[in-house]
Amino acid sequence: MMELKVRVHSSLNICLDKELRHGWFEIKVPDGLSAASLADVLRLPANEIMFVVVNGSKADPTRVLKEGDRVEVFPVISGG
């Protein structure tokens, strides 16, 4: 297992437990987890994720996360 710091932005927060919304939180996840698989662990709808940022840089969904990574998840944004 490894520990990550995670922040889920905007409309995706509603999918999280109340105590995890609107800020950074730490979570233990299986070693070798990809950025895309983190959505499953957090129970986030993958079709509502626009992109993931790891350590300040936009990450490919297949990127393997590492101990101590700071991961931000951003939702699809629409407007009119």
Side-chain angles (χ1 to χ4, degrees):
M1 295 292 277
M2 63 180 172
E3 191 168 283
L4 306 173
K5 286 195 77 120
V6 178
R7 184 173 184 186
V8 176
H9 291 271
S10 194
S11 60
L12 290 171
N13 273 306
I14 196 144
C15 301
L16 298 174
D17 292 337
K18 210 172 197 176
E19 66 272 5
L20 302 179
R21 297 178 188 169
H22 308 295
W24 289 95
F25 60 91
E26 294 180 356
I27 185 171
K28 289 190 185 272
V29 298
D31 291 334
L33 192 73
S34 70
S37 296
L38 182 61
D40 293 333
V41 170
L42 297 173
R43 296 184 310 249
L44 300 174
N47 64 328
E48 293 184 28
I49 297 172
M50 177 68 92
F51 59 91
V52 175
V53 171
V54 178
N55 301 324
S57 298
K58 188 174 176 184
D60 185 275
T62 61
R63 178 178 174 159
V64 175
L65 301 173
K66 296 186 168 107
E67 174 77 29
D69 278 348
R70 294 175 60 91
V71 183
E72 296 182 78
V73 183
F74 291 86
V76 173
I77 299 172
S78 62

